[in-house]
């Protein structure tokens, strides 16, 4: 089975109002296990909308979302939330780390919520931080970290519960070009090291070229 199968997705915002915008017009996309796919399109093309629907954070007007062979649109809200927490990791342009907790705690907390013991959760958090080179900063709060370090911690948090699918929306879009390049490299190592499947939105073609496949969004469909 594909890890992610999107078919016939449509989405219109502000229907019936002057500000109506049809963002998706029958978008299809298949991601196979272990595949890392770049989603490339200009700002406003609907990348965030597609990722939010794929990540079960938003619902389409029509169409289907299958994760690992399971049709999501038929599930109850409760079950969908379970699948989202267990199988999908999400990374945004901004880190969205909890400011009052340390880097380590930010990666430990989602594991505790999933029923992992504190001892195991801390060991995994340290291992993930070491993989992205931020282990020495484990006990700092996000505000004490650089933008690149904050984003590396957010990658670790997204992978904390070993999801099957990673969705990333301009994961290095907030960083200066040099930092972006290095931080993106760290993300790719993390993803390749786990054999994870990923859909990563970017408008940086150089970064896109490091992935297995590039898909483009145009007029609400995936080309
Ligand atoms: P991208 O991620 O490619 O920049 P988005 O999915 O964020 O594209 O947005 C696509 C279009 O839909 C834009 O015109 C945006 O302004 C609009 N849009 C996105 N989210 C909403 C929303 N919640 N309500 C109304 N319009 C929205
Ligand atoms: P990006 O360019 O990274 O996609 P945006 O500024 O387009 O970021 O969108 C940021 C967030 O705001 C998204 O969650 C999107 O759904 C929402 N959004 C975008 N445009 C609108 C809009 N016109 N009305 C309401 N929400 C919007």
């Amino acid at each position: 089975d594909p890890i992610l199968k999107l078919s016939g997705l449509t989405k219109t915002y502000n229907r019936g109002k002057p500000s109506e915008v049809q963002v998706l017009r029958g978008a299809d996309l298949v991601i196979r296990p272990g595949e890392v796919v770049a989603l490339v399109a200009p700002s406003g093309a609907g990348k965030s909308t597609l990722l939010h629907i794929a990540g079960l954070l938003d619902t389409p007007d029509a169409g289907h979302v299958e994760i690992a062979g399971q049709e999501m649109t038929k599930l109850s809200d409760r079950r969908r939330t379970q699948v989202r927490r267990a199988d999908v990791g999400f990374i945004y342009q901004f880190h969205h780390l909890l400011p009052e907790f340390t880097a380590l705690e930010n990666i430990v907390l989602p594991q505790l919520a999933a029923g992992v013991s504190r001892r195991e959760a801390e060991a995994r958090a340290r291992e993930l931080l070491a993989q992205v080179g931020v282990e020495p900063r484990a006990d700092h709060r996000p505000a004490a970290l650089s933008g690149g370090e904050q984003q590396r911690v957010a990658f670790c948090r997204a992978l904390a519960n070993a999801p099957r699918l990673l969705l990333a929306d301009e994961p290095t879009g907030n960083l200066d070009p040099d930092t972006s390049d290095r931080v993106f490299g760290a993300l790719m190592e993390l993803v390749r090291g786990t054999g994870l499947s990923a859909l990563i939105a970017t408008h940086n073609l150089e970064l896109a070229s490091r992935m297995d496949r590039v898909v483009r969004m145009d007029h609400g469909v995936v080309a």
Side-chain angles (χ1 to χ4, degrees):
D1 278 337
I3 187 74
L4 176 69
K5 184 175 176 193
L6 307 176
S7 36
L9 295 183
T10 64
K11 183 77 175 180
T12 298
Y13 292 113
N14 302 333
R15 188 182 293 282
K17 298 187 189 151
S19 55
E20 175 171 312
V21 49
Q22 191 179 359
V23 179
L24 302 180
R25 306 165 185 257
D28 305 311
L29 179 64
V30 170
I31 298 186
R32 307 197 178 287
E35 210 179 16
V36 179
V37 177
L39 178 64
V40 175
S43 194
K47 299 184 295 298
S48 299
T49 300
L50 187 92
L51 286 168
H52 286 170
I53 291 172
L56 311 178
L57 298 165
D58 197 359
T59 50
D61 298 332
H64 298 279
V65 177
E66 269 180 40
I67 294 181
Q70 208 179 5
E71 169 62 53
M72 292 296 132
T73 36
K74 286 185 194 137
L75 297 183
S76 65
D77 285 352
R78 190 190 139 90
R79 179 72 191 116
R80 234 193 333 266
T81 301
Q82 285 174 346
V83 172
R84 174 159 53 75
R85 294 207 177 128
D87 292 338
V88 184
F90 218 103
I91 300 170
Y92 300 89
Q93 190 168 345
F94 182 72
H95 59 78
H96 294 297
L97 296 170
L98 298 171
E100 67 273 31
F101 291 97
T102 64
L104 187 83
E105 279 300 300
N106 268 280
I107 306 166
V108 164
L109 289 171
Q111 297 182 76
L112 297 182
V116 176
S117 73
R118 169 160 285 277
R119 191 191 156 91
E120 267 181 77
E122 286 189 6
R124 173 152 177 84
R126 287 198 187 277
E127 188 188 308
L128 285 164
L129 284 169
Q131 282 178 41
V132 296
V134 187
E135 210 273 338
R137 314 283 274 156
D139 299 323
H140 292 271
R141 290 183 185 185
L145 305 178
S146 72
E149 287 170 337
Q150 290 168 346
Q151 213 46 5
R152 288 171 199 248
V153 175
F155 300 167
C156 296
R157 180 190 49 188
L159 297 193
N161 286 326
R164 297 210 257 182
L165 174 66
L166 178 71
L167 300 171
D169 195 355
E170 301 273 2
T172 62
N174 249 338
L175 305 172
D176 66 75
D178 279 355
T179 308
S180 166
D181 207 63
R182 282 184 286 113
V183 170
F184 191 84
L187 175 62
M188 288 306 282
E189 271 184 42
L190 208 52
V191 168
R192 300 291 191 193
T194 54
L196 190 64
S197 314
L199 179 61
I200 304 177
T202 179
H203 42 232
N204 183 325
L205 293 176
E206 199 280 312
L207 297 185
S209 72
R210 298 196 218 165
M211 298 183 227
D212 297 327
R213 182 156 65 93
V214 179
V215 297
R216 283 164 207 283
M217 281 186 82
D218 188 25
H219 295 94
V221 301
V222 180

